[in-house]
Amino acid sequence: MSIAIAETVTHTVVLTGRQLRAAWRMPVFLVMNLVQPLIWLLLFGQLFASIVELPGFGDGQSYLEFLTPGIVMMMALFGSAWAGTVYIEDMNRGVMDRFLTSPTSRGALMVSSLIYQAILTIVQTLIVVGIAWLLGARFSGGVAGILLLLLAAVLLTAAFSAFSNAVALLTRQQTALIGISQLLAFPLMFLSSAIMDTSLSPEWVQTVAAYNPVEWAVVVGREALGADPDWTSIWGHLGLLTALTVVLAGLATMAFRSYQRSA
């Protein structure tokens, strides 16, 4: 058992390094995933700066401080929604079949994809937080708050990366993955408090947001970065994100087994 675990860990490190090297050779993908969130941060943060003056909006912070956790989670959502494209590329090039006929750990194939996406999310999150700080945002939660923001972003990334991988393994088509990802990502983003306080939204939006994993992650990040965090809310929403990640990782595992049987 210990030898099998050691092999899985080794294969995970090697496969994660493979994806990181590909990202290093083609950094345009990292940059492109940052462009839209940064545009939202720079433009929305300035255009809607006075929105915090609305009665009941936010918790006394600037709109830039309110917006930053939402932008981080939006970036994590859209980045992870495309995670399955790596699998589809490997299928189309025959790489996946070679992996399956080799001693490569099946678990490592799945876990390495999630770790790779998590590393990208951490790097991008730190860049966004750094730019927000340069623009004048100040986060009372300090280093601990940023760490919790990163944890929420990583859990959201892992959950939707697993879902994206499952869709890729089941459909094996780039167009299907793109369509399903777009169908889910935009409603999840707008039906949360990522860019607007849901207390000012219609009641049905508030109800949907309560079951929205993007909202769970945004709440964790915003509370953690605030001056007076609601720890019950933070740990409760982190628990929900963890449970969702486990469920979707299980779905991805079943999809992988289905692909193996049909390959």
Side-chain angles (χ1 to χ4, degrees):
M1 180 64 72
S2 59
I3 295 177
I5 293 175
E7 287 182 349
T8 298
V9 171
T10 301
H11 292 175
T12 298
V13 172
V14 171
L15 291 170
T16 303
R18 168 182 175 255
Q19 296 190 57
L20 288 173
R21 286 192 297 274
W24 181 259
R25 289 193 295 268
M26 295 290 290
V28 65
F29 295 111
L30 176 66
V31 174
M32 289 304 295
N33 197 41
L34 273 168
V35 168
Q36 186 179 25
L38 288 178
I39 289 175
W40 285 58
L41 186 69
L42 295 169
L43 293 183
F44 276 46
Q46 299 301 314
L47 290 173
F48 299 107
S50 61
I51 201 171
V52 294
E53 298 175 8
L54 290 174
F57 187 97
D59 191 27
Q61 73 271 58
S62 71
Y63 184 62
L64 184 61
E65 293 164 358
F66 176 90
L67 182 63
T68 299
I71 294 298
V72 166
M73 301 313 164
M74 181 182 77
M75 184 175 58
L77 172 64
F78 282 94
S80 59
W82 290 81
T85 58
V86 175
Y87 277 5
I88 291 177
E89 290 174 0
D90 282 348
M91 292 177 206
N92 292 338
R93 295 199 303 259
V95 175
M96 183 65 77
D97 291 335
R98 290 199 292 273
F99 276 142
L100 294 179
T101 56
S102 72
T104 304
S105 166
R106 286 16 177 189
L109 286 169
M110 182 66 64
V111 174
S112 63
S113 173
L114 303 186
I115 294 176
Y116 165 70
Q117 292 296 330
I119 292 173
L120 292 187
T121 292
I122 290 172
V123 172
Q124 292 170 333
T125 297
L126 292 175
I127 292 172
V128 168
V129 171
I131 291 175
W133 187 86
L134 290 174
L135 292 173
R138 295 296 179 264
F139 305 108
S140 302
V143 175
I146 292 174
L147 290 176
L148 286 169
L149 173 74
L150 287 171
L151 177 57
V154 165
L155 287 173
L156 186 68
T157 295
F160 281 94
S161 293
F163 177 77
S164 180
N165 288 340
V167 172
L169 289 164
L170 293 173
T171 65
R172 309 181 191 186
Q173 295 181 1
Q174 187 89 338
T175 52
L177 176 62
I178 292 172
I180 293 172
S181 298
Q182 296 296 324
L183 182 65
L184 286 177
F186 280 101
L188 287 173
M189 182 186 73
F190 286 109
L191 293 173
S192 74
S193 63
I195 58 177
M196 175 59 66
D197 193 330
T198 53
S199 65
L200 302 178
S201 302
E203 186 175 348
W204 70 268
V205 174
Q206 299 178 44
T207 301
V208 172
Y211 299 94
N212 183 351
V214 177
E215 173 69 1
W216 302 343
V218 171
V219 168
V220 171
R222 195 166 285 144
E223 287 288 342
L225 293 176
D228 186 22
D230 182 344
W231 293 105
T232 300
S233 177
I234 288 174
W235 297 120
H237 285 100
L238 282 175
L240 289 172
L241 284 168
T242 302
L244 178 67
T245 300
V246 170
V247 170
L248 292 180
L251 174 65
T253 300
M254 289 188 290
F256 196 87
R257 289 172 179 167
S258 175
Y259 177 83
Q260 282 185 277
R261 289 193 295 268
S262 60

